[in-house]
Amino acid sequence: MGDLRFPIAKTLGNILVISSMGYQSRYILISELSSIDLNTIQMEAEIFELSEAVVKAKQKKSLSAKKIVRRAIEAIPKNFPTNPFSTIGYYRDYQLDKNRYINLNEAILEVYDQGFLELDQVTTRVRIYDYKLNYDFKRDLPAQQPYDYTGKSKTIDKSFLFNYGGNEFTILRIHDAIRNYKIDSYAFIHRLDTDLLKNHYFSKEPDTFMEDDALYAITFKKNYPGFRAHGRMFISKKSFAIHKMEYAVYDLSIRTVDKKQNKPDDNNNLLFKITTEYQKVDELMYLNYISFQNKFRLLLSPFMVTDIQLDLTNKCFNVTFNNEPNVRFAVSKDNYRIIYKGKKIVLNKIEFRNKKVILYPDLNFGEARNIFNELDKISTDEIFSPELLNFEFAKMRDLRGNYLNDGYYKQYTQFREFFVQQVNTQTNEPADTLYMKKDRPISKDQIIIKPLNFNNYWMNTPLKQ
């Protein structure tokens, strides 16, 4: 099933309960586990014991897969909390470089949620109990840079990750389509309550279970031009509560080394995958675990654009390179192409300063003011959407003769995950300002405050390879 670690010294004498859909729960005395060696725990598949069937003249027609999902979505306000609650757990984000962990960041967070009737992005607040950059794993600085859809130094191929003005944990929560069932969550799912049913084909798999709750297992899929989307839901047969939802999108254009097409669901084709699991607490469903993974390409090149900034005062763009460009190429207007809302912006003049090139658009005062004010209103730490503003560079070389972006792309997998360790079903958020600032990274100028019971929580750091 997987590897995990937990603070055995803090819970010695307690019972460890391991449960998973479709398997018999295991109850293990922690005192019997080794604190030095790896412990292997086998799970056994559950076998349903069916009662004797009685044949009747009239049988109630079974629900179709689509009707089951519809009922589950309609039952969200009944099955999920509508009053304030909090979840405390372990957050981590990291990347995989050929199955090796890099850039691991970890935190203990408490999330104060006002309930499913409120807009999560607006009303939910978070406290940071602890945060660390884990230097036991390799730090890869180029892979840590923000996504760059202008210089193309770091991109998600054929897709775009919006940050909605939030940091990495905010991005993760936005991808919980169940919690955000009334807003646009992510591609192809969009609004769960209005778009899932009309955009996908549904089918049933054999029923499974979680503890004593029998579950429908529903698969759904949709083929888009060049893409395949595939998901699964596990839904209570009794209450229609959603226990788990998985969704993945694959790029069908990716080929094998010998130019053959991969299987549609081959992991090499994966663009992104989201897994959200809920648990029952006091008859309502609360988040247990969420994972969002996506692949991205990192351009490894000796000469590239490292930053593009707006200069609102002078109504120009500041383009910064990692190396000093050859001045002959840097000052040629023909080497720059700026597209704003699908229209080309003509350049008036170019200034060159060491590693920086300053581009002045040929716009009258009113045009420049309107464009730059609009860009300023929507600018964030992330680079602009290419549909809004796009930069193209041609024939650029640095002083060493390297051509711009004349390198190769390396693929990484990015993970963001949150594991809930405690659910407080009745809680009010503290009346102070000691909350995470959502518009900046967790690691940047945030307030960290440990509660008196901080030792009850732990960082479930991955086992080092």
Side-chain angles (χ1 to χ4, degrees):
M1 301 290 287
D3 298 329
L4 61 91
R5 69 173 79 210
F6 61 95
I8 189 168
K10 296 178 184 178
T11 55
L12 194 61
N14 291 338
I15 294 176
L16 176 66
V17 181
I18 302 176
S19 59
S20 182
M21 291 180 189
Y23 292 86
Q24 297 180 27
S25 296
R26 292 289 307 273
Y27 297 84
I28 299 168
L29 286 174
I30 292 179
S31 58
E32 296 179 355
L33 296 177
S34 171
S35 60
I36 301 174
D37 301 320
L38 290 176
N39 297 272
T40 301
I41 300 171
Q42 299 288 342
M43 302 287 287
E44 294 185 9
E46 180 72 15
I47 299 175
F48 280 104
E49 293 186 4
L50 301 178
S51 59
E52 182 181 352
V54 178
V55 179
K56 295 183 179 180
K58 269 192 173 182
Q59 293 264 346
K60 186 177 179 180
K61 188 177 180 180
S62 63
L63 293 172
S64 68
K66 191 169 186 177
K67 286 182 177 179
I68 293 169
V69 174
R70 177 180 285 111
R71 284 200 182 184
I73 295 173
E74 291 172 349
I76 287 177
K78 179 186 73 173
N79 288 319
F80 293 80
T82 56
N83 293 322
F85 66 95
S86 78
T87 52
I88 303 173
Y90 166 67
Y91 166 80
R92 68 187 181 196
D93 59 72
Y94 60 94
Q95 294 156 353
L96 290 182
D97 177 9
K98 296 180 180 178
N99 295 320
R100 181 179 62 178
Y101 288 96
I102 62 172
N103 298 331
L104 173 63
N105 308 312
E106 304 175 281
I108 300 295
L109 307 175
E110 180 163 15
V111 182
Y112 294 92
D113 193 317
Q114 296 304 302
F116 275 50
L117 298 181
E118 302 294 332
L119 188 61
D120 178 59
Q121 188 182 350
V122 175
T123 63
T124 295
R125 297 207 276 184
V126 180
R127 279 188 189 272
I128 304 175
Y129 287 169
D130 196 13
Y131 179 83
K132 71 174 183 178
L133 306 178
N134 193 321
Y135 286 94
D136 291 336
F137 297 85
K138 180 183 176 182
R139 310 301 296 186
D140 186 328
L141 293 179
Q144 295 182 67
Q145 65 181 289
Y147 289 105
D148 172 15
Y149 290 93
T150 53
K152 303 293 192 297
S153 61
K154 180 181 177 181
T155 60
I156 302 175
D157 195 27
K158 297 189 179 179
S159 58
F160 183 83
L161 180 62
F162 292 95
N163 66 4
Y164 294 87
N167 61 17
E168 54 268 50
F169 185 66
T170 304
I171 292 173
L172 175 62
R173 283 189 64 85
I174 288 169
H175 286 80
D176 182 350
I178 300 171
R179 173 60 183 88
N180 298 293
Y181 70 105
K182 286 189 173 182
I183 66 171
D184 193 359
S185 184
Y186 51 85
F188 305 141
I189 289 292
H190 303 298
R191 276 187 57 153
L192 188 72
D193 63 342
T194 58
D195 297 318
L196 176 67
L197 292 170
K198 68 183 181 183
N199 289 342
H200 297 80
Y201 299 97
F202 297 82
S203 59
K204 285 184 181 180
E205 290 185 342
D207 294 344
T208 184
F209 76 99
M210 184 65 186
E211 296 290 341
D212 59 348
D213 200 355
L215 307 178
Y216 293 112
I218 308 296
T219 60
F220 47 97
K221 61 184 179 180
K222 179 69 174 178
N223 290 325
Y224 299 83
F227 300 95
R228 175 183 171 89
H230 181 271
R232 286 199 303 174
M233 264 191 190
F234 296 90
I235 299 168
S236 169
K237 300 186 73 171
K238 189 164 48 179
S239 66
F240 289 92
I242 302 172
H243 282 248
K244 187 175 183 179
M245 177 173 167
E246 303 169 341
Y247 198 77
V249 175
Y250 299 88
D251 178 3
L252 301 182
S253 68
I254 297 176
R255 302 281 173 165
T256 62
V257 176
D258 56 358
K259 306 301 182 182
K260 294 181 179 179
Q261 187 172 14
N262 287 317
K263 294 180 180 179
D265 295 348
D266 191 293
N267 191 55
N268 291 319
N269 293 41
L270 184 70
L271 286 179
F272 67 85
K273 182 178 181 180
I274 297 151
T275 301
T276 310
E277 183 178 294
Y278 278 77
Q279 59 182 322
K280 185 184 291 185
V281 180
D282 295 340
E283 300 306 314
L284 291 176
M285 306 299 293
Y286 294 86
L287 182 67
N288 186 44
Y289 165 71
I290 180 170
S291 171
F292 169 41
Q293 71 176 94
N294 64 272
K295 292 194 174 182
F296 67 87
R297 300 192 312 161
L298 182 67
L299 178 63
L300 300 176
S301 170
F303 183 40
M304 67 177 68
V305 174
T306 59
D307 193 22
I308 299 177
Q309 294 288 336
L310 300 175
D311 184 337
L312 296 175
T313 303
N314 298 305
K315 303 295 185 292
C316 61
F317 300 101
N318 295 324
V319 180
T320 304
F321 299 86
N322 63 333
N323 296 327
E324 183 174 338
N326 184 308
V327 63
R328 181 167 66 89
F329 297 99
V331 298
S332 173
K333 296 178 184 178
D334 293 336
N335 288 337
Y336 304 92
R337 179 179 169 85
I338 305 175
I339 306 297
Y340 175 72
K341 290 186 174 180
K343 295 183 179 180
K344 181 180 178 180
I345 294 180
V346 177
L347 293 177
N348 180 32
K349 67 174 181 176
I350 298 174
E351 293 181 0
F352 174 61
R353 300 173 187 172
N354 195 10
K355 295 182 181 180
K356 182 180 293 186
V357 173
I358 305 172
L359 308 176
Y360 292 89
D362 187 9
L363 302 169
N364 62 43
F365 178 80
E367 292 173 331
R369 179 189 59 193
N370 292 338
I371 290 175
F372 279 81
N373 285 347
E374 181 176 0
L375 291 173
D376 181 51
K377 287 180 182 178
I378 62 173
S379 64
T380 64
D381 290 338
E382 297 286 339
I383 305 300
F384 298 105
S385 166
E387 287 77 21
L388 176 67
L389 181 67
N390 195 33
F391 288 78
E392 298 177 3
F393 306 89
K395 298 181 181 178
M396 297 290 291
R397 297 174 69 175
D398 65 11
L399 294 179
R400 300 183 182 90
N402 297 308
Y403 284 95
L404 186 68
N405 297 337
D406 187 15
Y408 66 95
Y409 282 99
K410 184 176 180 179
Q411 190 174 77
Y412 296 78
T413 303
Q414 173 78 52
F415 280 84
R416 298 172 180 84
E417 299 176 311
F418 184 59
F419 304 80
V420 175
Q421 297 174 3
Q422 180 179 322
V423 176
N424 300 316
T425 60
Q426 296 180 352
T427 186
N428 292 315
E429 61 182 40
D432 56 40
T433 59
L434 304 178
Y435 295 101
M436 178 185 77
K437 295 177 175 61
K438 297 180 183 179
D439 60 350
R440 64 180 62 171
I442 300 178
S443 61
K444 185 177 180 181
D445 300 326
Q446 298 278 11
I447 297 173
I448 296 178
I449 181 167
K450 295 183 179 181
L452 294 177
N453 65 340
F454 177 74
N455 287 336
N456 291 344
Y457 315 111
W458 65 94
M459 291 191 177
N460 192 24
T461 304
L463 298 174
K464 195 169 183 180
Q465 298 113 314

